[in-house]
Amino acid sequence: MTQTSSNKNRPPSTVRRRIVALAGGVGGAKLAQGLAQILPPEDLTVIVNTGDDFEHLGLYICPDLDTVCYTLAGLANPETGWGRVDETWNVIANVERLGGPSWFRLGDQDIATHLERTRRLKGGQPLSQITKDFCKAWDVKHTILPMSDSPVRTMVDTDEGELAFQEYFVHRRCEPKVKGFRFDGVEVAEPAIGVREALDSADAIVICPSNPWVSVDPILATLTPSPLSLRERGWGEGKPVIAVSPIIGGKTVKGPAAKMYAELGIEPSALAVARHYRNILTGFVLDHTDSKMENEIQTLKIETLVTNTLMNHLTDRARLAHDVLHFIGSL
Ligand code: FO1
């Protein structure tokens, strides 16, 4: 591992660190799982994007939240990254046979999650409490929080007009060209119960390798219009904020982030991601493939770590999490 850090001469701190990780779906869940392999439950809170939540077939569905929960529970489908392992598809097959919508593939076990969540939400329980109860049932020890208990909906402005996120992402397979994004409801949405406390008691924020436009920006937008503005609360000054690039060699491992950058007229690269977060970042983690961008990222007054950021296996997730924690200790 050729690890280079712009302040590599300073010894890493060995003090206990409480981490808040901001995560979208599959990429975010992988690093969160790596962090969860290393940190004790009281030292890791994962705040998850809920901008891609939607109501479908009368059910309230939280794709990113479920992806993170299933991954930490060891229940995630390893092929897709979303949904459940050893899944069956009887319900959706029968919906399709009856002429109902089947473009969003809901598995039988997964449907139980949506049924029970919808029942509880209709009974007035907040999403954060429901998530906490589900995590207990799935034996997930670390804290997973939705970014908000109120609805925030990512809307994608495209060359075919504005589309709701899942309509764009799954139904239209990300084909329409993106022109911008809007987070409907963000002006009034408060951070979920527990989010403020987690940020206040954390020593560092890790922005996971999730899509900056549609996974991380909704979280940041939910945290920052309130009195919770990260900078105002000392983040980025004494408390490091570090991001892991979801773009390696100009491409994303999964999902449309690189395509979105290109359609917005920005060359997709680790550097573009660092620029995206430049106002809040203390440190940035990029892959060896992109090491030539390290100097330019440092000119943004952002510390850098070059390492292997691909997370194909469970061991890769723990290794990257270890590198990230070591990097934070050196800042
Ligand atoms: N993504 C797909 O590409 N096709 C699907 O049919 C699909 C179903 C699905 C069901 C439950 C769930 O939690 C996630 C699901 N996803 C599916 C993934 C998901 O919509 C996206 O990956 C995220 O919203 C983006 O992070």
Side-chain angles (χ1 to χ4, degrees):
M1 184 172 68
T2 312
Q3 246 191 55
T4 58
S5 163
S6 46
N7 62 359
K8 57 179 178 272
N9 295 331
R10 267 189 258 156
S13 163
T14 51
V15 294
R16 177 179 164 197
R17 296 202 171 261
R18 286 210 175 105
I19 303 294
V20 162
L22 310 184
V26 181
K30 286 180 180 175
L31 183 58
Q33 191 184 29
L35 290 165
Q37 287 180 66
I38 298 171
L39 296 168
E42 62 275 19
D43 286 355
L44 176 65
T45 299
V46 189
I47 299 175
V48 184
N49 171 44
T50 52
D52 63 347
D53 291 9
F54 74 134
E55 279 187 55
H56 188 63
L57 295 168
L59 301 173
Y60 191 94
I61 299 164
C62 306
D64 284 358
L65 195 56
D66 290 344
T67 296
V68 173
C69 292
Y70 290 160
T71 302
L72 264 65
L75 298 172
N77 180 332
E79 269 126 55
T80 54
W82 50 264
R84 294 281 292 261
V85 68
D86 299 329
E87 188 57 287
T88 53
W89 306 91
N90 296 306
V91 173
I92 201 72
N94 280 281
V95 168
E96 189 169 25
R97 195 168 174 186
L98 296 172
S102 58
W103 56 269
F104 197 81
R105 309 293 298 166
L106 292 173
D108 297 336
Q109 299 178 83
D110 193 30
I111 285 172
T113 305
H114 312 312
L115 277 172
E116 177 57 6
R117 176 167 45 224
T118 306
R119 185 188 74 78
R120 292 189 190 208
L121 284 169
K122 284 194 171 154
Q125 293 183 34
L127 184 59
S128 52
Q129 181 61 49
I130 299 168
T131 307
K132 188 176 176 186
D133 293 347
F134 285 8
C135 282
K136 192 164 179 218
W138 290 323
D139 205 21
V140 174
K141 301 271 190 296
H142 298 80
T143 303
I144 301 174
L145 294 172
M147 66 188 193
S148 181
D149 285 317
S150 316
V152 176
R153 295 289 167 266
T154 298
M155 305 298 295
V156 187
D157 186 19
T158 75
D159 59 351
E160 299 180 28
E162 190 173 68
L163 299 172
F165 181 76
Q166 296 298 345
E167 184 64 27
Y168 160 80
F169 193 94
V170 176
H171 204 185
R172 300 297 318 280
R173 299 190 180 93
C174 307
E175 281 164 11
K177 285 199 175 105
V178 301
K179 299 202 293 188
F181 308 95
R182 187 171 69 81
F183 309 120
D184 197 27
V186 78
E187 308 77 17
V188 289
E190 289 290 320
I193 298 164
V195 165
R196 282 198 175 87
E197 294 75 6
L199 285 167
D200 283 345
S201 62
D203 300 300
I205 296 179
V206 174
I207 300 177
C208 291
S210 297
N211 187 313
W213 300 103
V214 294
S215 297
V216 180
D217 279 359
I219 307 177
L220 294 175
T222 305
L223 304 186
T224 50
S226 70
L228 198 68
S229 166
L230 293 179
R231 278 262 176 226
E232 279 166 31
R233 292 170 83 92
W235 285 103
E237 306 289 332
K239 294 175 162 206
V241 179
I242 74 123
V244 180
S245 179
I247 296 192
I248 302 175
K251 297 193 179 106
T252 26
V253 179
K254 191 171 167 54
K259 181 178 179 285
M260 287 174 172
Y261 271 102
E263 288 169 1
L264 293 166
I266 306 165
E267 192 187 335
S269 67
L271 175 62
V273 177
R275 286 194 179 126
H276 190 100
Y277 297 131
R278 66 183 299 170
N279 291 333
I280 52 164
L281 280 193
T282 318
F284 189 72
V285 182
L286 63 159
D287 194 79
H288 286 295
T289 312
D290 300 313
S291 59
K292 60 185 179 307
M293 294 174 193
E294 193 180 14
N295 288 347
E296 202 164 343
I297 294 169
Q298 287 170 10
T299 64
L300 302 171
K301 305 220 175 335
I302 298 170
E303 305 273 357
T304 51
L305 170 70
V306 177
T307 187
N308 181 2
T309 62
L310 265 179
M311 292 182 283
N312 290 329
H313 305 289
L314 207 57
T315 47
D316 301 328
R317 301 175 192 185
R319 180 200 33 75
L320 179 59
H322 177 270
D323 291 351
V324 165
L325 294 172
H326 195 268
F327 180 43
I328 289 168
S330 75
L331 291 170

